[in-house]
Amino acid sequence: MESRFFKIKALDVLQSSKQHEYFSRTDITDLLNDLRTIMKMTSSRLNFDIPALMTEENYIDLTGLSKDQFSDLLGYMSTVRSSGVRSVRTCLGVFFTKLRVGLSNKILGTVFGLKTSQVQRIINAARRTLMETFVPHTLGFQHVSHGDFVTNHTTPVAKQLFTTDPRQAVIVLDGTYIFIQKSSDYHFQRMSYSMHKHRLLVKPMIIVGTDGYILSILGPYFADGHNNDASITKHAITNNL
């Protein structure tokens, strides 16, 4: 089963054990109510509550995740509770659709049959939960030991060129860009304008292993002239970030 529903393969192998069955009035009423509920759930094309309604390609296009990856992340949403407005699967689906596609909250509300205020609360709840449960296990200097990083994420070429001790790690630091919209705050607008790119942006500093494994992300920093890669690196070392 997947999210309380049988998978397609499971339905194909189901066999009936009886040729007929008697239903009471209560059974028929419950059956009709269940059908009515399912019809409401399937009225929207984008429905994460019934996995069979969406293909693997749908999941990847909308969230950037496969079905299995999406299901794995659901395990980190333990502090989020389903409500009459949305389920935990919908909460996670709306959040990653927002990150992947970048639609406005109003359009997301139209697509998922939610109010704009509900979309805002859903995104906030998903973000806070993943920051507490998922991010500490996958990002930051504390999520992997020094020995594991040296063994699994430092390439032999980097060890040969840059280390004198096999226990030493090699990391790569590089600033990247996240483009943003124009802010109504004039001071923030000036601080986030890049003279190099001639656009509004903020700069996260990415710290990776020589195999491309993302160890940590610092920032984001403003895009003004005081925050080039060298000054950000100096700030990180000075403050032991």
Side-chain angles (χ1 to χ4, degrees), residues 40-57:
K40 289 181 179 179
M41 294 174 64
T42 58
S43 60
S44 173
R45 178 66 181 88
L46 301 184
N47 192 314
F48 289 95
D49 290 328
I50 306 179
L53 289 180
M54 296 175 61
T55 64
E56 186 83 7
E57 289 75 16

Side-chain angles (χ1 to χ4, degrees), residues 186-211:
Y186 179 70
H187 178 69
F188 179 81
Q189 185 184 137
R190 290 194 60 183
M191 298 290 286
S192 59
Y193 184 79
S194 171
M195 296 297 294
H196 174 60
K197 293 294 184 179
H198 302 290
R199 292 185 62 178
L200 294 167
L201 56 89
V202 290
K203 298 178 63 176
M205 174 64 78
I206 311 297
I207 303 176
V208 302
T210 51
D211 65 342

Side-chain angles (χ1 to χ4, degrees), residues 26-45:
T26 303
D27 293 333
I28 295 175
T29 302
D30 292 340
L31 179 61
L32 291 175
N33 287 332
D34 290 341
L35 289 174
R36 187 179 292 111
T37 301
I38 294 296
M39 290 299 295
K40 289 181 179 179
M41 294 174 64
T42 58
S43 60
S44 173
R45 178 66 181 88

Side-chain angles (χ1 to χ4, degrees), residues 45-156:
R45 178 66 181 88
L46 301 184
N47 192 314
F48 289 95
D49 290 328
I50 306 179
L53 289 180
M54 296 175 61
T55 64
E56 186 83 7
E57 289 75 16
N58 294 149
Y59 271 81
I60 294 175
D61 291 340
L62 290 172
T63 67
L65 304 171
S66 66
K67 280 190 175 184
D68 290 338
Q69 291 171 335
F70 188 88
S71 297
D72 289 341
L73 279 175
L74 281 174
Y76 292 94
M77 300 288 287
S78 56
T79 59
V80 177
R81 296 289 180 264
S82 297
S83 67
V85 175
R86 52 95 184 121
S87 66
V88 178
R89 292 185 66 92
T90 298
C91 182
L92 190 63
V94 170
F95 176 71
F96 277 102
T97 301
K98 175 72 173 182
L99 293 181
R100 172 74 169 178
V101 185
L103 296 175
S104 67
N105 291 347
K106 185 175 182 180
I107 295 178
L108 284 174
T110 301
V111 171
F112 288 96
L114 300 167
K115 297 179 180 178
T116 303
S117 59
Q118 293 171 341
V119 173
Q120 293 172 345
R121 289 194 294 269
I122 285 172
I123 292 174
N124 186 48
R127 181 190 61 80
R128 284 189 290 103
T129 300
L130 292 177
M131 285 295 294
E132 294 172 358
T133 60
F134 177 73
V135 173
H137 297 288
T138 56
L139 191 65
F141 297 107
Q142 77 289 338
H143 85 276
V144 62
S145 68
H146 178 84
D148 288 342
F149 185 80
V150 172
T151 302
N152 300 319
H153 304 295
T154 305
T155 61

